[in-house]
Amino acid sequence: MQTTTLLRDLQQRTQDVIKRITPLQDVSDALLNFQSSPKSWSALECLEHLNRYGDFYLNEMEQQIQQSRHKAAPTFQTGWLGNWFANSVADKPKINTMPSPPSMNPTGSQVDRQVIDTFLQQQSRMLVLLDRAAEVDLTKTKTGITLTRWIRLRLGDTLRVVIYHNQRHVSQALRAVATAQQTAPQSA
């Protein structure tokens, strides 16, 4: 695929995520912390989960972009593993549920509305990284992943995975708030 097309799509997805989350800054703590069941995440837990991944991936991508010796290329070729990861975390009607590693699972964590600000700051940083990513080859520049240090993905795939994952859990966070509003309208 064309590098510029991919980066433009990822920028639009990130801007959409920012627009969808920004209104949560005006939602009550009760709604933001509502869990529809003991095993479900609240909106704040969804964002905390994304912040934990963002802490790793934003730093990793920034470092690899800075260190890359591979200049921009007109096209990006996805790798089979990166494409599988991206498709498996994409926000779609029938979602594959997968357990989060303990370090990325916010269940039982003390989270407050600050996670919204942190998430929005991370998304602004992502937009800057997407601009900078246009300067390197998205196929040849590789990044580490959180699961194991033995696997490295193409930068273009890592960007897709992180941004698709953000979209997925932003939708989950908004569903949690919508359910809270339906269940407990008096707490709004």
Side-chain angles (χ1 to χ4, degrees):
M1 70 182 74
Q2 293 295 312
T3 298
T4 55
T5 303
L6 172 63
L7 291 174
R8 189 171 30 249
D9 174 65
L10 296 176
Q11 287 168 338
Q12 289 171 341
R13 289 172 185 266
T14 302
Q15 289 165 348
D16 180 62
V17 158
I18 292 169
K19 286 178 191 165
R20 293 174 70 200
I21 287 300
T22 299
L24 290 186
Q25 293 175 311
D26 298 324
V27 172
S28 72
D29 288 354
L31 293 178
L32 292 172
N33 284 296
F34 177 82
Q35 293 175 281
S36 60
S37 75
K39 291 188 177 189
S40 67
W41 287 348
S42 70
L44 291 181
E45 288 173 326
C46 292
L47 296 180
E48 173 63 15
H49 171 71
L50 294 176
N51 289 345
R52 291 177 185 191
Y53 275 104
D55 286 343
F56 174 82
Y57 282 106
L58 291 169
N59 291 330
E60 175 67 10
M61 290 186 292
E62 184 173 42
Q63 180 179 355
Q64 297 312 319
I65 289 169
Q66 284 176 348
Q67 294 176 356
S68 182
R69 294 182 310 252
H70 306 290
K71 298 300 175 203
T75 59
F76 165 68
Q77 179 65 45
T78 186
W80 71 268
L81 183 60
N83 195 47
W84 179 84
F85 276 131
N87 289 329
S88 69
V89 299
D91 190 19
K92 50 193 170 211
K94 185 173 176 10
I95 293 179
N96 296 338
T97 57
M98 51 187 89
S100 293
S103 64
M104 300 299 177
N105 189 333
T107 302
S109 300
Q110 295 288 57
V111 292
D112 60 33
R113 60 191 318 94
Q114 178 61 39
V115 300
I116 299 170
D117 295 334
T118 300
F119 180 74
L120 291 171
Q121 290 167 3
Q122 286 187 355
Q123 298 318 294
S124 294
R125 188 172 167 201
M126 177 63 81
L127 289 172
V128 171
L129 284 176
L130 288 167
D131 284 340
R132 294 192 50 225
E135 301 168 8
V136 301
D137 188 321
L138 301 183
T139 303
K140 292 181 180 176
T141 303
K142 307 285 175 97
T143 67
I145 65 171
T146 58
L147 297 174
T148 176
R149 63 185 181 134
W150 304 107
I151 297 175
R152 297 179 63 75
L153 296 181
R154 297 169 183 188
L155 175 60
D157 284 328
T158 303
L159 288 164
R160 291 173 61 224
V161 168
V162 172
I163 292 169
Y164 293 0
H165 186 242
N166 287 346
Q167 287 182 295
R168 173 186 182 138
H169 287 292
V170 162
S171 292
Q172 181 183 3
L174 295 174
R175 282 192 308 271
V177 170
T179 300
Q181 289 169 329
Q182 293 169 357
T183 305
Q186 69 279 2
S187 63

